[in-house]
Amino acid sequence: MKKIIILFVVFFFFSCQKKAGLLEIPKDLTQSEAEEAQQLMATHCYICHSPTASESEGRIAPPMVAIKARYLMDITTKEEFVSHITQFVENPTEENAIMYGAVDRFNVMPKQVFPDGVVEKIASFMYDYQIEEPSWFKEHWETSGNGQGRKKEKDEWIQPGKKLIVAELPKTYEEIGLEYALGTKAVLGKNLMGAIQSKGTMHALDFCNIQAIPLTDSMATHYQAMIKRVSDKNRNPNNKASAEELNYIKQFKADAVAKRESKPVVIAKGNKVQFYYPIQTNTMCLQCHGKKIKPDVQQQILKLYPNDLAVGYDENEVRGIWSITFEK
């Protein structure tokens, strides 16, 4: 089986409809727009394109700074940069890829459809601003030969772009909830993709059956919160949504149909905070949750989960939500 994909944005958002193929390129981003784009990138890209993962262990996709650097080798204008990235996200194929080494190592990302204009925002931010880079990236870039001719000063890697200065403020409850949800998602995603890469989809089913809930519980202990993944079409009975959770699943599904960026739901309840955020499908999910599941995989699903409901999905549908409770 082919290796799992470069997820150049499990969470890189792309507009599926462009008039006459034209892109609306964001010009100079305001401070608030730059902060929003940075958050979008951290929320949806760093799960797979982590700026902190090591070069050789646990990495499932290249860091975002590598994507930026590679595209800037061939592109000079912001319009070209944003256009090339959004076009690749629209049609991610091996033929359209320019990061050949990354494709050989991770394979190609799955095709996804995202809310209008958000990919352009993130790509615009990447071009205009310096983005977080792993500690090993400078040496890797230079020794690979890609860094030849790049601007350097005092033997330090100089990344093109401005530095975004963000005031240090206390985290909001929304930011705390996202940190818990995305941190847990990153751990589950890394382990799941590792299982698929090493032994295929069948092994991933065993991983989910045995490890998903214990890993989620360990992250709940780490964050000192209650963390659940729940669904209206649950596979594991322990992931069945409550009546309140079903209402928010319905709300997030409406956002997905309208191609709107879903905002987290934050509810204060006494001395606690309740946080909800959607879980959406991508191509990888459809191997076990789609409409066309291989017979041997379907047989194993029913063996592990006789009352399974979590099938029949297409890409970019809401499969469930994060339901997280933490102290104020």
Side-chain angles (χ1 to χ4, degrees):
M1 173 182 171
K2 264 187 148 182
K3 288 182 181 179
I4 269 301
I5 55 191
I6 297 176
L7 291 173
F8 170 30
V9 205
V10 185
F11 326 90
F12 230 61
F13 291 87
F14 180 76
S15 167
C16 61
Q17 296 179 350
K18 305 290 181 188
K19 293 183 179 179
L22 298 179
L23 296 170
E24 294 183 7
I25 307 300
K27 300 301 181 183
D28 293 334
L29 300 177
T30 65
Q31 176 76 14
S32 61
E33 289 172 337
E35 291 179 12
E36 178 193 7
Q38 183 185 54
Q39 182 60 52
L40 284 169
M41 183 167 64
T43 298
H44 300 288
C45 306
Y46 285 173
I47 293 170
C48 297
H49 301 272
S50 170
T52 58
S54 72
E55 180 182 4
S56 57
E57 296 182 6
R59 179 160 292 284
I60 56 178
M64 296 302 293
V65 68
I67 296 167
K68 172 178 178 175
R70 177 61 186 87
Y71 273 81
L72 287 178
M73 289 176 64
D74 301 329
I75 294 169
T76 56
T77 71
K78 182 176 182 178
E79 287 73 15
E80 290 176 325
F81 182 86
V82 175
S83 178
H84 279 70
I85 286 181
T86 53
Q87 286 173 18
F88 178 75
V89 175
E90 179 182 31
N91 187 26
T93 65
E94 190 168 344
E95 292 73 22
N96 291 337
I98 65 172
M99 301 183 69
Y100 309 119
V103 170
D104 287 342
R105 179 176 175 184
F106 305 111
N107 213 345
V108 182
M109 66 170 283
K111 179 179 173 60
Q112 299 179 82
V113 179
F114 301 104
D116 291 346
V118 185
V119 164
E120 289 87 340
K121 285 183 181 180
I122 297 176
S124 181
F125 175 77
M126 290 172 65
Y127 186 89
D128 285 342
Y129 288 88
Q130 295 181 18
I131 60 178
E132 192 174 358
E133 63 184 58
S135 58
W136 50 263
F137 180 70
K138 173 182 176 288
E139 181 179 358
H140 165 81
W141 185 253
E142 292 178 344
T143 57
S144 68
N146 291 322
Q148 295 180 5
R150 303 290 296 183
K151 181 180 177 183
K152 288 183 284 185
E153 183 177 283
K154 295 181 180 179
D155 296 324
E156 292 183 357
W157 164 261
I158 304 299
Q159 186 191 154
K162 301 173 287 186
K163 287 187 177 181
L164 179 63
I165 307 300
V166 180
E168 290 291 335
L169 299 173
K171 289 183 180 179
T172 65
Y173 293 142
E174 178 178 315
E175 291 170 336
I176 293 170
L178 275 174
E179 177 186 348
Y180 295 174
L182 299 176
T184 306
K185 182 177 180 180
V187 169
L188 291 172
K190 173 184 172 181
N191 283 275
L192 176 60
M193 291 177 191
I196 294 175
Q197 285 178 328
S198 63
K199 297 183 180 179
T201 306
M202 297 290 282
H203 182 59
L205 279 172
D206 292 334
F207 162 80
C208 288
N209 180 253
I210 299 171
Q211 295 295 330
I213 289 181
L215 278 175
T216 302
D217 289 343
S218 71
M219 294 302 292
T221 300
H222 172 73
Y223 289 125
Q224 296 185 333
M226 184 173 73
I227 302 177
K228 299 187 297 177
R229 296 176 304 135
V230 298
S231 177
D232 56 333
K233 294 170 60 178
N234 55 288
R235 174 158 289 171
N236 189 318
N238 294 323
N239 297 132
K240 184 177 180 179
S242 67
E244 179 176 342
E245 290 163 343
L246 287 172
N247 287 331
Y248 290 107
I249 291 174
K250 183 178 180 180
Q251 175 181 318
F252 289 132
K253 284 186 175 183
D255 288 340
V257 170
K259 297 184 175 62
R260 292 190 298 261
E261 173 73 5
S262 289
K263 300 297 183 182
V265 173
V266 178
I267 304 169
K269 295 184 176 181
N271 64 341
K272 296 184 182 295
V273 174
Q274 182 63 49
F275 174 91
Y276 298 116
Y277 195 63
I279 300 170
Q280 290 183 285
T281 58
N282 57 35
T283 301
M284 181 185 68
C285 302
L286 302 188
Q287 296 179 52
C288 300
H289 295 283
K291 295 179 178 178
K292 297 180 180 179
I293 301 173
K294 292 181 178 179
D296 59 336
V297 175
Q298 182 66 69
Q299 183 178 1
Q300 182 67 4
I301 290 172
L302 292 176
K303 178 180 178 181
L304 295 171
Y305 307 98
N307 299 313
D308 176 49
L309 300 173
V311 293
Y313 290 98
D314 286 320
E315 295 175 9
N316 307 298
E317 292 188 341
V318 173
R319 192 174 71 79
I321 59 173
W322 293 97
S323 179
I324 301 176
T325 307
F326 54 92
E327 300 282 344
K328 286 184 177 178

